[in-house]
Every structure is written in structure tokens, then in C-alpha cells.
Amino acid sequence: MEAWDWTLVGKIAWVIFILIWGGIRWRPNVRARRNPIKTSHRSMKERVLLAISFAGLGLLPGIWVFSGFPDRYDHSAHPAVVIFGAILLVLCLVLFRLTHKALGVMWSNTLELRKGHKLITTSVYKRVRHPMYSAFWLWAVAQPFVLANWIAGFSGIVGFGLLYFLRVGDEEKVMEKEFGEEYEIYKQQTKRIIPGIY
């Protein structure tokens, strides 16, 4: 039996992940659009950050996965590394699903508040204020493990990292303005990304 091509295994794992992630996102997106937007904070900064994040998590890796470009930055793929990355991607999908389920029609992929918006503090939101960002961080960190290319692998950390660090403060200000003391108390009881740590 010939040895597995672990570069190919990593690519397949990434493509399967993207397809499942799209499936998880599709239904909540349809449901949320039925719930009218109360206030929108979608600025040019927001659009640019989303585009950068998309480039790092989807576009650049996708180009490499399907075309091999830029192959000059390829490196060898080790089975244990690829398997570890795939496990992180599975954890990411589980967290995405739990987050969407908890948010229901309150979910939005931009800084928007829906009509009748409520502060969600149960399920995965009980100890972490931004579990959706936690899931994206898992994705970004997993990508270099499953994709044996320095650019395709690390583009997610750079792209999503920029979005996270330049957006999370704005998002919390929107929530503070909308929910006031309720959000302040919630902030004191939770961490941003990692339960009990950060």
C-alpha cells in the first residue's frame, strides 16, 4: 500500500470543512434575514475588515487548494500535524453550530441589531461573550496545520486577526449602548474568547 499524500488529505479536510461550515451558516442566515434590522453599524471599515478576513480564511487558501498557487511556499505535510488541524476544524464546526443555535434570529454577520434584539447569555454565551470569534480563531489556527503552504496556511491568522482586533471593541460598544448595565454585568461575568482566561 502506498503512503498517503498528506498534503492532499489536508486539502480535502479543508474543503469538507468549508462545505459543512457553509451548510451551518446557510439556515441561520435565511432565518435572520426574515427578522428586520433595527440598527446597523455597517461602515466602510467593517466592509474592508470582512473582505480581508474572507481573503485570509477562504480566498487565498481556496486558490492554493484548487490551483496549487503559489507552490513556491509549499512545505511537507506531517500526518500528526494534519490530523491535529482536522481535529481543530471539527471543534470549530461544533462551536459554530452551538453559537448559531444559541443566537437564533439574533445572528448577523455584520454589526447589526435585529428588531427585538435580546442579549444572549445562555448556552455557549454563558462564559464567553464572543464564541463565534472563538470558532473563527479555531479555524484560523487550524489552517496552517491542514494546509501545507505558508501563505495559504497563515493567511487566516493574519486576515481574521485584523478583523478581530479592529472590530471586537466596536462590537462591544454597540452592545454596551444597546443593553447598558445588563451588558456591563455580563462583561464582568465572562471572558471574550477563552472561558476563564481571555
Side-chain angles (χ1 to χ4, degrees):
M1 181 178 167
E2 292 183 20
W4 285 23
D5 179 346
W6 284 95
T7 297
L8 180 60
V9 171
K11 288 180 177 183
I12 291 169
W14 185 84
V15 170
I16 290 169
F17 164 80
I18 292 293
L19 293 172
I20 295 171
W21 176 82
I24 289 171
R25 270 272 164 116
W26 180 75
R27 185 177 242 173
N29 195 20
V30 170
R31 276 195 309 233
R33 287 182 181 190
R34 293 181 192 142
N35 190 11
I37 296 168
K38 176 184 171 185
T39 56
S40 177
H41 302 272
R42 183 179 247 191
S43 62
M44 181 54 71
K45 173 187 170 186
E46 168 87 354
R47 290 184 174 113
V48 169
L49 289 174
L50 286 170
I52 291 170
S53 182
F54 167 74
L57 291 171
L59 184 62
L60 293 175
I63 289 170
W64 179 74
V65 164
F66 292 107
S67 75
F69 177 81
D71 59 357
R72 67 184 293 184
Y73 298 104
D74 288 0
H75 57 82
S76 60
H78 190 277
V81 172
V82 174
I83 290 168
F84 178 71
I87 291 168
L88 290 180
L89 289 177
V90 169
L91 293 174
C92 170
L93 291 172
V94 170
L95 189 51
F96 264 122
R97 176 68 183 114
L98 292 172
T99 304
H100 280 295
K101 189 174 180 183
L103 285 175
V105 295
M106 301 299 141
W107 176 75
S108 175
N109 66 343
T110 60
L111 295 180
E112 297 172 335
L113 294 172
R114 302 283 177 182
K115 194 172 181 180
H117 207 105
K118 294 176 184 157
L119 180 63
I120 307 298
T121 60
T122 57
S123 183
V124 289
Y125 284 87
K126 190 170 185 176
R127 296 183 63 210
V128 178
R129 294 194 299 278
H130 304 285
M132 187 77 72
Y133 287 145
S134 304
F136 272 110
W137 273 120
L138 278 172
W139 177 351
V141 169
Q143 211 162 261
F145 290 97
V146 295
L147 300 181
N149 178 278
W150 297 113
I151 291 178
F154 284 94
S155 64
I157 291 173
V158 174
F160 177 71
L162 279 170
L163 176 123
Y164 173 77
F165 289 110
L166 295 175
R167 183 197 204 200
V168 71
D170 293 342
E171 187 168 331
E172 293 207 332
K173 285 176 188 170
V174 168
M175 300 301 278
E176 286 167 5
K177 185 177 178 182
E178 180 70 15
F179 298 106
E181 188 179 353
E182 183 185 7
Y183 193 73
E184 287 298 328
I185 293 168
Y186 176 60
K187 278 177 69 174
Q188 292 169 15
Q189 297 170 343
T190 56
K191 298 294 181 183
R192 271 186 173 171
I193 299 296
I194 305 170
I197 299 174
Y198 174 71

